[in-house]
Amino acid sequence: MANNPQNYLIAGNDEHGINPPTIGKRTPMMPYINRQIYENEWNFAVKNVFLADCLRIGFYIFDVKPNRQDTSISNRVIAVNRAQPNCVVTFGYNAFGDPNTFSSPNGVEVFYSPLNIYPQRSQALSNNVYDEILSHTDLYGRGVKTLDVGMLSNVRTVATLIEAGFMTNFDEAKLMLDPDHINDVGRATCHGVCNYFDVDYVPIKDMTFPTLRIGSRGRFVRYLQFMLKIKGYAVGTVDGVFGTNTQNAVRAFQQANGLVDDGVVGRNTWYKLNNLYPTARVLKRGSYGEEVRYLQQKLYSFLYPVGTIDGIFGTNTENAVKEFQREHGLSVDGVVGNNTWEMLQNRANSRQLPTSTQQNDSAQTSTDVE
C-alpha cells in the first residue's frame, strides 16, 4: 500500500536571482530576441511547477527562496534546517566554457553529496528524479553524480540538485523559456519524489478536481492558492482555507479568462487554471487568457519577439504569429488554428542559430554549479 503524501514536507529551492540578476548566470546573447536569458528565469519557473505538482499530489511544501533576489547558500541552508523537510530539491541550469559563446555540451545531470547526513538516501532520490526526467523529456542523460555544495552537504535532510540543461547550448537555452519543457521537468521531478517516498503519482490529466468555493478547505485549496499566486494573483497565505482573499483572486482570474466571475472553482475554472489543452482553441487578435499566454511563451521560446507576455493577443503577438507562419509556409493570416498549433508543437520549428554565430564544439565536460 502506497504512503500518504500528507505525511511529508517537500522543500523546493531555485538557484541565483533575477531581481537583480545574478552576475554571470545567463546565456550568451540570444539572436532574434536580442537578449540574454538569466538562469533564474528557468530555475524559478520550474521550481514553482514542481511545488505546485507536489501540492496537487497532496504533499506539504516549503519554498526555500520565494523571492526573486539571490540568497546566500548559508541562509538557505539555515531555512531548510529550520523547516525540517523530508527532502529538498534544488533546480539549476548548467554552463560550459566561455559564457558569451554557444557550445555543444548538453544534457541533464543530477547531483547528491556523499557528505550529506543521508548520502545513500540522497543518491536514491537523485536516481528516481533523474530516471523520471529522462522518461518525460528528450534530454540527453549525463548521469547521477556527486558534488559537495552547501545545499547538498550541509542540509540536515535528503537532498538533490538538478541541472536540467546547458545555458551555453543554443537549443537548451531556448528550452529555458519553453512552457512545455518547464512543465515536463517540474512534474517529472515531482514524479521522482513520489517514487522515492512510495507515494502514488497521478498525472494531472488523469486527476479529478473538486468544486471549490468560499469555506472549502484542504489540499486542493492549497493547490488552487499556489497556482493563483504564481500566476500573479493576490491570495494571501497559502493555507488551504478558501476565504475572501482566495475568492477575490479566483474572480480576478475568471475575469481575465472570460469566465463567469462567481468565485466558484468548477470544471471550467480548473480547465483554464491548469491549461492542459491550450492548443484546442483558435486564437486571433483580440483573444485573451491562459491560452494566449501559452502561445506567447511558445513563440518567445522559438525566438519570435511577442512584446510583453500578458495573455492579450495584440499587435506584437499577431506580428510574431505572422512571421512564424511566413517562415514555415503557412497561410499568413495571424490566426492560430490547427496548422499553426501543430507547427508550434515541434521544437525543430524554432529559429536556429545564425551561421555567422560562433559555436564551440568542445568536449562534453564541466559543470557550473555553486
Side-chain angles (χ1 to χ4, degrees), residues 337-356:
N338 290 336
N339 292 336
T340 303
W341 275 129
E342 183 178 356
M343 296 292 280
L344 280 168
Q345 294 311 296
N346 185 350
R347 293 188 184 114
N349 294 324
S350 64
R351 282 175 159 167
Q352 300 304 302
L353 190 66
T355 55
S356 59

Side-chain angles (χ1 to χ4, degrees), residues 50 76 78 101-102 105 134 152 156 164 181 196 205-206 240 242 250 261 268 302 313 321 357 361:
F50 165 69
R76 282 182 276 142
I78 290 171
T101 304
F102 291 109
L134 289 187
L152 295 177
R156 294 194 294 271
H181 189 63
Y196 172 75
K205 292 181 179 180
D206 297 335
F242 197 131
V250 168
D261 58 337
N268 291 336
F302 279 29
F313 198 129
V321 169
T357 303
D361 293 325

